[in-house]
Each structure stands twice: as structure tokens, then as C-alpha cells.
Amino acid sequence: MSLPMGLICLALGGGMATLPLVIYPAMLYALTLFSRAPIPPRSAAPHATVIVAFTGGGALLRAKVTNLARIARTYPGELDLVLAGDGPITAADREAALAAAQGLPVTLCALDAPAGKAHALNLGADRANGDILVFSDLDAELSNSALDVLLRWFADPSVGAVCGRRLIVHQDRAAVAESGQRAYTDFDSRIKLLENRLGAITSNDGKLYAVRRSLFQPIHPAATDDLYNALSVVAQGQRVLFEPQAMAYIPAPARTAGHDLTRRRRVTLRSLTGLFARPHLLLTLRFGLFGPRLIVNKLLRRLLPVAGLLTGLGLLLLAPTHTWPNGVLAMALAGSLIAAAYPPAMRTGLTARLPQRLKKLWATGFYAGLGMLGMLLGVLDFLRGKRIARWAPRKTA
């Protein structure tokens, strides 16, 4: 009895894991061999409004406005900025933002009381004047040409949204498994590049993305804004593209293991909330292959810990009657223990003495394991009906 059930669990778990991590990238690569990368239209510079939601300001707010003011000086079109506070803005932050703007038109608006990032972004969109709404996080420093190359795509009427590329920059302060975080970001960018060659990607990157104002719909308060905005655009028959030259430089998102665990748990919960807020995109072929691609690349990727549990259960059920599952389980346990030892090894300086490739492999293993645990908790939160509209961001200048 254990044999067929064990094989079923093993097949389900293995399939759920290999589809988003191996089969989907391989299929994209194979298909792109017969397609060309999209060619950007000739230079276009629509009137754009950059919207930045924030909680608290300080040095990060000043740096963000200074960055955008520098970009505005060379942007050939009209550009303005809306700073949307998740709660009242202090007089010091108002003065600092206006001083850093250096001629860039700035609108400051704020919610009466903290209510969450989505509410602040919705308020900012309501106050925007541009034909294109550009969303960017407070801690993202944009490259000088980011808006030029991002916004030129809107000369194509079939394009409803475009996202940039996030790049993690090294800082003096140690971050948990920084090379692992960078590896995950690089993997996601490579998937977007391949999807791009097929004509559309399945989601935005929240550090920098732009949406036609005519297509913007109020963001669900408990969903990730980047995914929700992308799905809103697709639901209205428009495409979402990826512009890798529009770069947003950010510090490592997670400073500690506990921080990353909380962040991955929250992101998973909010992503699943956004996906199932528009279930018709998942369950219909009205939008071509977008639905199946969305299921594989976004839904199954969030369900990787479930795939791991199914695989482990299958091995346990097969172990009494077969020898090889015991070996696989032993290797998995040993690998997990080694990955878990990365933080103390980093604190004691052991990782600094290792070859760079081995150090990166160890960090990636730890980051993957930590991410799996965070995603599992996020999936359980979603199934329990939990929703998160507001949290206290941990960003540093």
C-alpha cells in the first residue's frame, strides 16, 4: 500500500518543484531560440509621474528625491514626483524633500493615519498628473537612464506596463546570505528576459515599474502592488514587458535571518492574495498561455515548500520497502544541517576563508532553505485566511 502512495507523492512533489525551476526555464529557452528579443520603439518621452510611498523619511527620503531630481534634469519629457506618506509627514521630511527636489515638481500627500503601502500608492495615483505612473520603492536608487529606457516602450500601444531590473549592491554592513539573495534575484531576472522574448512577462518587479494611467486600478490592500498592477494590465488586454537596462540598485533586502523569514512569509501571503484576487487569469485560456505560465512561474514557485513536503513524504513511505529513499533522506538531512550552519559560520569568520564559489553555494543553500520555511508559513497564513495590509518596513540608508 505504501508503494503506490509513496510514488504518487514523489511524482507530485517532484513535478511541482521541477516545473518552475527546471522545465519552465528550459521550455522558455527552447522557444526563444525561434524568436527575437522585442525591439524598443524609437525614443518616446511621455509625461510621467513617479510615485513613492513611504513610512518615515529621513536620509532615505532625501536620497530618493535627490536621485529622481538628477534623472529629471536629463529626461526629455515632463516628469513630476508624488510622495505619498503612509501616515502624516513630519515638517522636517517635507522641508528636506522640497529642498532635495531642485526644481523637480513635487506633490506631498499623506494618509490621515497609517493604513498600508497599497492605500498610500492609491492616494499617490489619485494625485498624479502624468499619463504614465512610475512606481519605485524608497530604497531603490535608479540608474541615470532608467526612466528614459523604461518609458520609451509606451510608444507601443499594446504595452500597458514595463518593469525595470533590480540589482543588489554590496554594502559595508553584512547581510544574511547576500550572495544567496543576489543569486535568487539573478534567476528571476533571467526568467523575465526569456519571457520577454515571447512578448510578455508574468509579473512586475516592485523596485521599479511603470503603468499607463488609463489602465491603473486601485491596488488590493492585502496584495503585492507589483503583481497586482501587472495582473490588472493583463486583464485589460495589454502586455507587461521587462527592460533590463532600467536598473534599480538596492541593498540586500534581508539584514538578518529573522528579518528574511518574516519578509518571505509576508511576500508569499500577499502574492497569493493578489493571484487569487484575479482567479480568472489563472483558470481561463482567454489570455492565451498567460494563465498556465502564471500558474507555473508564480503559483508553483510559491508552493515549492509544499512540493518539498510531498517529496519527503513520498520518500518516507517508500523507505520501509526500498533502500535508496533512506540514502536520499540522509543526504537531504545532512544538506539541511550544513545549510543551517551558515549563519554561525559567517559570524565566526569561517566563510571568509572559503573559496568564493563554495561560499556562494553555501549562502545560496541557506537562503533557499530559509526561503522555503518562510514561504511555507506564508502558504499556511493564506489558507488560514490571514491578510496583511500594513507592516513596519526595515529599510536603511
Side-chain angles (χ1 to χ4, degrees):
M1 187 67 178
S2 62
L3 178 60
M5 183 56 68
L7 287 176
I8 290 172
C9 290
L10 198 61
L12 282 175
M16 288 176 64
T18 56
L19 264 174
L21 296 179
V22 180
I23 297 175
Y24 184 63
M27 288 180 62
L28 286 176
Y29 178 75
L31 290 172
T32 56
L33 293 176
F34 306 98
S35 61
R36 296 185 304 172
I39 300 173
R42 291 187 175 183
S43 181
H47 178 192
T49 297
V50 181
I51 302 171
V52 179
F54 68 98
T55 302
L60 272 178
L61 181 61
R62 291 193 297 273
K64 184 69 175 184
V65 177
T66 299
N67 175 222
L68 292 171
R70 184 180 69 246
I71 292 173
R73 287 197 291 270
T74 58
Y75 180 67
E78 189 175 353
L79 187 70
D80 58 90
L81 171 64
V82 173
L83 298 174
D86 182 20
I89 304 173
T90 66
D93 281 337
R94 286 181 178 273
E95 293 173 5
L98 293 174
Q102 304 173 30
L104 171 65
V106 177
T107 299
L108 291 110
C109 57
L111 301 170
D112 293 334
K117 182 182 180 182
H119 288 287
L121 290 177
N122 290 335
L123 174 64
D126 187 59
R127 301 293 176 87
N129 296 313
D131 299 317
I132 307 298
L133 306 180
V134 180
F135 298 89
S136 183
D137 280 355
L138 188 67
D139 63 345
E141 181 181 355
L142 309 185
S143 58
N144 289 336
S145 62
L147 295 188
D148 286 28
V149 295
L150 188 78
L151 297 176
R152 63 184 175 178
W153 287 101
F154 289 99
D156 183 342
S158 70
V159 174
V162 187
C163 80
R165 178 182 181 182
R166 75 169 65 193
L167 293 170
I168 296 177
V169 296
H170 177 71
Q171 292 186 318
D172 293 336
R173 290 162 297 189
V176 58
E178 183 177 301
S179 57
Q181 297 184 58
R182 190 177 290 111
Y184 178 81
T185 299
D186 290 345
F187 172 78
D188 191 62
S189 292
R190 291 179 185 275
I191 293 295
K192 283 182 168 63
L193 279 170
L194 293 172
E195 289 182 327
N196 222 37
R197 296 191 64 167
L198 297 182
I201 63 175
T202 47
S203 72
N204 284 320
D205 188 304
K207 294 300 175 182
L208 174 63
Y209 67 96
V211 179
R212 290 189 191 274
R213 185 180 182 183
S214 60
L215 299 177
F216 176 80
Q217 296 179 345
I219 303 165
H220 190 297
T224 50
D225 62 280
D226 48 358
L227 176 60
Y228 191 83
N229 271 326
L231 298 183
S232 295
V233 166
V234 173
Q236 296 175 78
Q238 300 288 292
R239 295 188 296 152
V240 182
L241 293 180
F242 176 54
E243 175 47 73
Q245 297 304 313
M247 291 175 282
Y249 300 98
I250 64 167
R255 309 306 305 173
T256 66
H259 178 206
D260 188 61
L261 185 67
T262 302
R263 186 182 67 88
R264 294 294 286 272
R265 180 177 187 173
R266 182 187 69 246
V267 169
T268 298
L269 169 60
R270 288 170 58 82
S271 294
L272 291 173
T273 302
L275 279 171
F276 285 94
R278 297 189 180 279
H280 61 289
L281 292 177
L282 295 166
L283 303 174
T284 180
L285 293 178
R286 174 187 165 193
F287 303 97
L289 293 177
F290 181 83
R293 287 170 53 203
L294 187 65
I295 290 173
V296 172
N297 191 42
K298 302 308 292 185
L299 181 58
L300 288 186
R301 211 197 289 189
R302 300 300 182 199
L303 295 180
L304 281 175
V306 178
L309 290 176
L310 283 172
T311 302
L313 177 60
L315 291 170
L316 287 172
L317 291 174
L318 290 171
T321 54
H322 295 73
T323 303
W324 62 269
N326 294 288
V328 175
L329 286 168
M331 287 189 292
L333 178 60
S336 299
L337 293 174
I338 292 172
Y342 179 81
M346 185 176 67
R347 285 193 296 269
T348 58
L350 174 62
T351 57
R353 298 193 294 269
L354 295 175
Q356 189 61 32
R357 287 188 177 181
L358 182 57
K359 178 182 176 181
K360 182 177 180 179
L361 179 63
W362 197 356
T364 301
F366 170 73
Y367 184 70
L370 191 65
M372 291 281 277
L373 178 57
M375 286 191 292
L376 177 61
L377 294 174
V379 170
L380 293 175
D381 286 341
F382 178 76
L383 294 176
R384 289 185 299 150
K386 182 178 179 179
R387 300 295 179 263
I388 296 177
R390 184 178 184 272
W391 67 97
R394 293 177 60 183
K395 298 181 185 293
T396 55

